[in-house]
Amino acid sequence: MAKDLETRERLRTARPRLRVLLMANAADGPALRSALLAMTELDIEVIDEKPGILSQTTGAPVDVVIFEFDGQSLPQPGAAGDKGRPVRIALTHERSPQAIREVLRAGADEVLFLPLDQEDLSRALLKISESVGDAAAHSGGKVISVVSLTGGTGVTTIASNCAIALANLAGKKTALVDLDFQSGDLAVCLNLEPERCISDLNDTGARLNSVQIESVLTRHRSGVYLLAAPKRIEESEQIAASRVGMIIGLLREMVDVVVMDIGRYISDVSVAAWERSDDLLYVIDQSIGAVRGAWRFLDLFARLELPRLQLRFVLNRWTPRHPITEKQIITTLGRPLFARIPREDSVLEQALGRGEDLWKAAPRSALTRALEEMALQLSAPVDLPKKGGLLSKLFARNGAHAGVKS
């Protein structure tokens, strides 16, 4: 556990990069540039441009535009929250509420006052950096992690069938990633014998790209692509969490959905995977051990502080007359159940015995229908939070209550 929290802390303390376009007059420009470069928390690249309307040919996209507001000039057209528009920070000498409203109405997201306070600047840019980094990590397709601290609850079964359902029912281009390096059961579950695996992507000296990843994927007859676990257990110790993060980032750009089998062992690889996930399916069954493990996991999840990650509990192998009821589980966890998958061992055995998936072996079974319903819920698009500063949100609320029109 301590190692997991250390991993989280390393991720937090890494210096994110921010590209800042500075539009200031000759008198204030040098001091503003020095203040930006003096920030030690961020790796800032400063691009200078003369005040006025921002040119549309400024080269590579920027994350932030800092400009001196003169009552008329704006950095570029577009409303706050437009997709792909950089955050706009206006600089002004006027501190009155009326002046701030005027700046925000003109399209600024944040307002800083001149002479510039270094702490105010750092606070604003750090907040923007978190938003930019978070959006970048979650751009592209959806990423779903499947995990359980209790062995035997059916993590691999849920992960594999969820991926197949997303591919067949929702029409999603789907990839399965086996991060349960100790077991590596996904290939067996899918009746595949992959020639290559994630270990083939572990050359840290080579720059990773989509062509390399595509070359190690194995296609299942359902259309799902598998990135298999290492063939030898000892190879798993050589795969760094940072490398896994890169692989996930590239995969989500290549497919619509990435489903990851995390297994039951929590490590720095698990934390790296969760950092880049949108949904986390925690699998439990109707046993005291599984519910206790889920309760312990809730404690860890709270300490890791992953606000973007949707934690969802899946009750697998559910039987209606079990002594441990669905209501008791919900009360103990203090969380609702996202999905309830009925127990149909004979159907699973039939599918495994034939080497087929459930949609071939038992398309009308209650088990198959429950998995389809869960997949449809998971296929909903990810809603990314819009950019916007605290001041803009505050004045938007105040303006609405006061009847002020933008």
Side-chain angles (χ1 to χ4, degrees):
M1 294 295 183
K3 186 177 181 182
D4 305 328
L5 295 175
E6 288 173 8
T7 302
R8 172 70 180 166
E9 187 61 29
R10 286 199 305 272
L11 288 168
R12 281 178 173 172
T13 55
R15 289 210 332 159
R17 184 174 180 80
L18 211 59
R19 216 161 177 266
V20 178
L21 181 65
L22 178 61
M23 303 174 67
N25 58 44
D28 298 323
L32 292 171
R33 168 179 266 273
S34 297
L36 287 166
L37 296 178
M39 287 189 62
T40 57
E41 304 94 333
L42 298 171
D43 179 12
I44 295 181
E45 178 187 356
V46 181
I47 304 159
D48 294 296
E49 184 161 312
K50 294 180 180 179
I53 302 298
L54 178 64
S55 168
Q56 299 298 317
T57 58
T58 56
V62 296
D63 302 304
V64 186
V65 177
I66 299 178
F67 67 103
E68 291 193 66
F69 183 70
D70 60 7
Q72 294 181 348
S73 64
L74 287 177
Q76 73 177 88
D82 283 354
K83 184 178 180 181
R85 181 178 70 74
V87 178
R88 298 188 286 203
I89 299 179
L91 306 176
T92 179
H93 290 276
E94 181 60 58
R95 294 173 179 261
S96 68
Q98 293 82 3
I100 296 172
R101 283 193 179 93
E102 183 182 352
V103 175
L104 293 175
R105 286 175 188 167
D109 302 303
E110 289 282 2
V111 181
L112 296 179
F113 304 109
L114 295 171
L116 191 62
D117 183 272
Q118 185 73 43
E119 289 188 7
D120 290 343
L121 176 65
S122 297
R123 192 179 303 112
L125 291 182
L126 282 170
K127 180 172 61 177
I128 293 167
S129 173
E130 290 176 2
S131 174
V132 170
D134 202 25
H138 290 260
S139 62
K142 175 175 279 192
V143 178
I144 302 167
S145 293
V146 188
V147 67
S148 180
L149 294 185
T150 308
T153 57
V155 170
T156 299
T157 300
I158 293 295
S160 58
N161 285 296
C162 178
I164 294 171
L166 286 164
N168 287 345
L169 188 66
K172 302 292 185 181
K173 186 176 181 181
T174 307
L176 262 171
V177 182
D178 197 342
L179 295 182
D180 187 359
F181 294 156
Q182 299 298 316
S183 299
D185 286 338
L186 270 179
V188 176
C189 187
L190 295 174
N191 195 30
L192 293 174
E193 295 184 7
E195 295 182 3
R196 307 191 70 189
C197 64
I198 195 170
S199 299
D200 295 299
L201 300 175
N202 202 37
D203 181 6
T204 54
R207 184 176 179 84
L208 200 60
N209 57 53
S210 58
V211 175
Q212 290 174 304
I213 292 179
E214 189 174 359
S215 69
V216 302
L217 297 177
T218 303
R219 192 177 189 275
H220 185 252
R221 67 185 69 179
S222 65
V224 172
Y225 293 89
L226 172 66
L227 178 56
K231 295 180 180 180
R232 299 181 179 87
I233 293 178
E234 62 270 20
E235 293 177 356
S236 62
E237 297 296 326
Q238 303 168 6
I239 302 174
S242 58
R243 195 66 171 179
V244 171
M246 294 178 193
I247 292 169
I248 297 169
L250 283 169
L251 260 178
R252 76 182 304 156
E253 295 295 333
M254 298 167 62
V255 299
D256 300 317
V257 185
V258 180
V259 180
M260 299 183 291
D261 181 349
I262 307 294
R264 60 175 297 195
Y265 298 104
I266 308 303
S267 66
D268 52 350
V269 169
S270 308
V271 177
W274 297 339
E275 281 279 344
R276 291 155 181 83
S277 297
D278 303 295
D279 289 285
L280 192 156
L281 302 184
Y282 189 97
V283 184
I284 57 174
D285 58 21
Q286 290 167 289
S287 67
I288 294 174
V291 177
R292 184 175 181 273
W295 188 82
R296 293 182 66 219
F297 183 82
L298 276 170
D299 175 65
L300 171 65
F301 186 76
R303 286 185 285 123
L304 288 176
E305 298 180 6
L306 299 167
R308 289 188 57 99
L309 185 57
Q310 294 290 325
L311 174 60
R312 309 179 189 273
F313 286 98
V314 176
L315 178 57
N316 193 30
R317 298 170 182 160
W318 169 74
T319 55
R321 297 182 181 179
H322 197 280
I324 300 177
T325 65
E326 180 182 344
K327 183 178 180 180
Q328 288 173 324
I329 293 173
I330 293 172
T331 301
T332 302
L333 298 179
R335 294 284 192 99
L337 295 176
F338 176 68
R340 187 178 61 188
I341 311 299
R343 181 163 200 158
E344 288 194 336
D345 293 341
S346 60
V347 172
L348 280 175
E349 290 171 3
Q350 180 181 352
L352 288 172
R354 293 181 181 179
E356 297 177 339
D357 60 62
L358 289 171
W359 285 263
K360 294 288 186 182
R364 298 182 180 179
S365 68
L367 174 61
T368 306
R369 291 198 303 270
L371 289 165
E372 287 176 348
E373 183 179 343
M374 183 176 70
L376 283 175
Q377 294 183 71
L378 289 169
S379 64
V382 181
D383 291 325
L384 297 176
K386 293 181 179 180
K387 296 177 183 177
L390 178 61
L391 280 171
S392 61
K393 294 174 183 176
L394 176 64
F395 278 97
R397 287 197 297 269
N398 291 343
H401 289 310
V404 178
K405 295 182 179 180
S406 299

